[in-house]
Amino acid sequence: MDDSPETLAKYSRDASLLLVRPKLVVFPKDKEDVKSLVRWVSENKEKYPGIAITARCAGTDMSGGAIGESIIMDFTRHMNRMIKFEGNTITVEPGMFYRDFEKITLSQELILPCYTASKSLNAMGGMFGNNAAGEKTLKYGKTEDFIYEAKVVFADGHEYIVKNLSRDELIRKIGEGTFEAQIYKNIYELINKNSAEIENAKPRVSKNSAGYYIWNVAGENNFNLNKLLVGSQGTLGLATEITFKLIPNSKYSKLVAIFLNNLEPLGRLVDEILQEKPETLEAYDDKTMMLAVHFFPDFLKNRGLIGMIKFLWSFLPEFFMLLYGGFPKMILLVELAGVDNAESDKKCLALSRRIENFKLKVHITKSQMEANKYWDIRRESFSLLRKHVAQRRTAPFIDDIIVRPEFLPKFIPELNKILSKYKLTYTIAGHAGNGNFHIIPLMDFRRADTAKIIMELSESVYDLVMRYHGSITAEHNDGLIRTPFLTKMYDQEIISIFGEIKKIFDPQNIFNPGKKVAVESGGGTKNYIASHIALEHDLKHRV
């Protein structure tokens, strides 16, 4: 454990714009350490009312989900090992980084396809906690679709195996008389009692991480609490082992770049592209492209002379296109896979023919290196913003909105109009195939009105999202930054159900308070957000 000023300062931040100082950071060596601490906190909650545990892995959370005022439990130092690898399943501890995980799976030609754009940085426990998704989610789904089972420490300090149960298994589980059995019983009854209200409140988009995702827990003949635990941001229990299901890695795929000079046909174009069943359908806007051009030397680093020449040469078609036609308003990246190169080539040509009537510039990449230049721009825009723009910082708070793709041609111009009122520099990139976009503004955190602007923009942008029947977070989750805005998406009845879920799992509120369910102190309110935005003064003087 560590409570040094340097460590507390480090763990006061994640990838969000918030600063919350903990009291202590602990580094569990194994599951016994996790169980012991949970038991101690449960037994001493009455004596120390503010005590709680916030689970943390890589700290890449943009929502403030990995910061808290009490104890931070960092899994990455010790609990980062593979437990076993059998067939198409792999069991790991939550602190394993995805980059290490992927090396192991790719050695067996298998992959976990819900990886994120930050896959070189993030860890597996964070993927479980946030229900992570990424560029291949369009075809393969989110993290919840790849969980075979998990070992989870609940609020009683005991570890339980959580997996999909048949109806008979559920009945037997409820009869066991344990703390876990009581959870199963109460969640089952809560869903049955409120089934109509729950169904009516379901967001009508393909991805949603807002609130507790109670809709997939109970099937006709099965019951799976992992559907609720995945995406709960460590507010219901702490996973100590996670078993993921893997799929064969697509060896043969090609990327098609499509350039739009206006957004009017975007919805219809996405519909046509989806007919070809792409692996991915990503997008970034003209501001992202201009950012890449402006800081082009960053893309040349560590390539060597020959690699640098090849990379520069690969951009000649785009150079001439920009010279004669200007920057496109949006670039779509469509990845199509086949059993071999011939099939993937055939699919790319079929897509090109399918969208001929749109009269757009279309480029079928000829090599993986050529495809990588587009992926580099898509994946590196956030870090470019963060590194290069003087006296301003990236401000992720409207970073994960989603509306159905057919609404995008109207939605994006209205979004730009709202953002333009504040004269902000920002980029828009994301998953066009399901209408999920990441807006990252740059803001001057020396200004006294920064918090006011962030709160005003959140209100305006989320109101726009709700007018188009979307979700305020598709995959980055609620954390501290969005929990207070859940009332825009759900009525009081559903908000109360979320509160009841939290009480069933965590009656003393010892797990990551202030996320998913608001509390008066420790997060979950708009005042808490405004008072914990990390202004420049805070970063210099809060040690």
Side-chain angles (χ1 to χ4, degrees), residues 475-500:
E475 57 191 27
H476 291 177
N477 224 292
D478 299 315
L480 292 168
I481 203 70
R482 276 180 285 272
T483 291
F485 296 98
L486 288 174
T487 52
K488 289 186 180 292
M489 284 190 61
Y490 304 111
D491 62 24
Q492 192 52 52
E493 197 165 7
I494 296 299
I495 296 293
S496 296
I497 288 172
F498 292 161
E500 189 61 29

Side-chain angles (χ1 to χ4, degrees), residues 401-418:
I401 56 179
I402 181 171
V403 298
R404 293 202 302 275
E406 65 263 31
F407 295 136
L408 290 176
K410 290 183 178 180
F411 175 81
I412 291 178
E414 289 188 49
L415 175 66
N416 282 322
K417 187 176 178 182
I418 290 171

Side-chain angles (χ1 to χ4, degrees), residues 309-356:
I309 292 169
K310 286 182 177 178
F311 192 73
L312 286 167
W313 183 262
S314 74
F315 266 99
L316 278 180
E318 285 76 17
F319 173 78
F320 288 112
M321 181 188 71
L322 297 176
L323 188 66
Y324 293 109
F327 279 89
K329 288 292 182 187
M330 186 163 283
I331 298 174
L332 300 185
L333 305 180
V334 187
E335 189 177 31
L336 296 153
V339 295
D340 52 28
N341 283 324
E343 186 180 5
S344 61
D345 287 343
K346 185 178 177 181
K347 287 184 176 182
C348 290
L349 290 171
L351 172 64
S352 184
R353 287 193 295 269
R354 178 181 284 278
I355 62 174
E356 277 178 348

Side-chain angles (χ1 to χ4, degrees), residues 392 417-426 442 447:
R392 285 181 289 169
K417 187 176 178 182
I418 290 171
L419 291 166
S420 68
K421 292 178 185 177
Y422 295 91
K423 297 180 172 57
L424 297 173
T425 300
Y426 61 94
L442 278 169
R447 291 177 49 167

Side-chain angles (χ1 to χ4, degrees), residues 207-365:
K207 292 193 293 184
N208 171 60
S209 291
Y212 288 120
Y213 208 76
I214 199 168
W215 293 275
N216 292 345
V217 176
E220 193 170 327
N221 293 301
N222 72 298
F223 195 85
N224 192 349
L225 273 189
N226 277 322
K227 297 293 184 178
L228 190 55
L229 292 167
V230 175
S232 64
Q233 292 194 299
T235 61
L236 306 179
L238 303 178
T240 54
E241 290 182 18
I242 309 163
T243 301
F244 294 95
K245 296 178 287 188
L246 307 171
I247 64 168
N249 186 33
S250 298
K251 288 185 187 177
Y252 305 101
S253 64
K254 277 207 168 179
L255 189 73
V256 180
I258 304 170
F259 305 89
L260 284 78
N261 288 326
N262 70 79
L263 300 179
E264 185 278 326
L266 182 58
R268 291 180 288 113
L269 178 62
V270 167
D271 283 344
E272 287 297 323
I273 294 169
L274 291 178
Q275 297 303 309
E276 296 294 330
K277 296 181 170 53
E279 297 273 297
T280 64
L281 175 44
E282 299 290 285
Y284 51 83
D285 67 349
D286 51 351
K287 298 179 186 67
T288 305
M289 186 70 179
M290 283 188 274
L291 186 75
V293 170
H294 192 61
F295 299 116
F296 197 74
D298 273 51
F299 292 101
L300 301 179
K301 287 179 181 176
N302 305 317
R303 292 182 185 271
L305 181 60
I306 295 174
M308 189 183 301
I309 292 169
K310 286 182 177 178
F311 192 73
L312 286 167
W313 183 262
S314 74
F315 266 99
L316 278 180
E318 285 76 17
F319 173 78
F320 288 112
M321 181 188 71
L322 297 176
L323 188 66
Y324 293 109
F327 279 89
K329 288 292 182 187
M330 186 163 283
I331 298 174
L332 300 185
L333 305 180
V334 187
E335 189 177 31
L336 296 153
V339 295
D340 52 28
N341 283 324
E343 186 180 5
S344 61
D345 287 343
K346 185 178 177 181
K347 287 184 176 182
C348 290
L349 290 171
L351 172 64
S352 184
R353 287 193 295 269
R354 178 181 284 278
I355 62 174
E356 277 178 348
N357 291 339
F358 289 90
K359 302 188 186 314
L360 302 169
K361 286 183 170 55
V362 177
H363 178 59
I364 300 173
T365 59

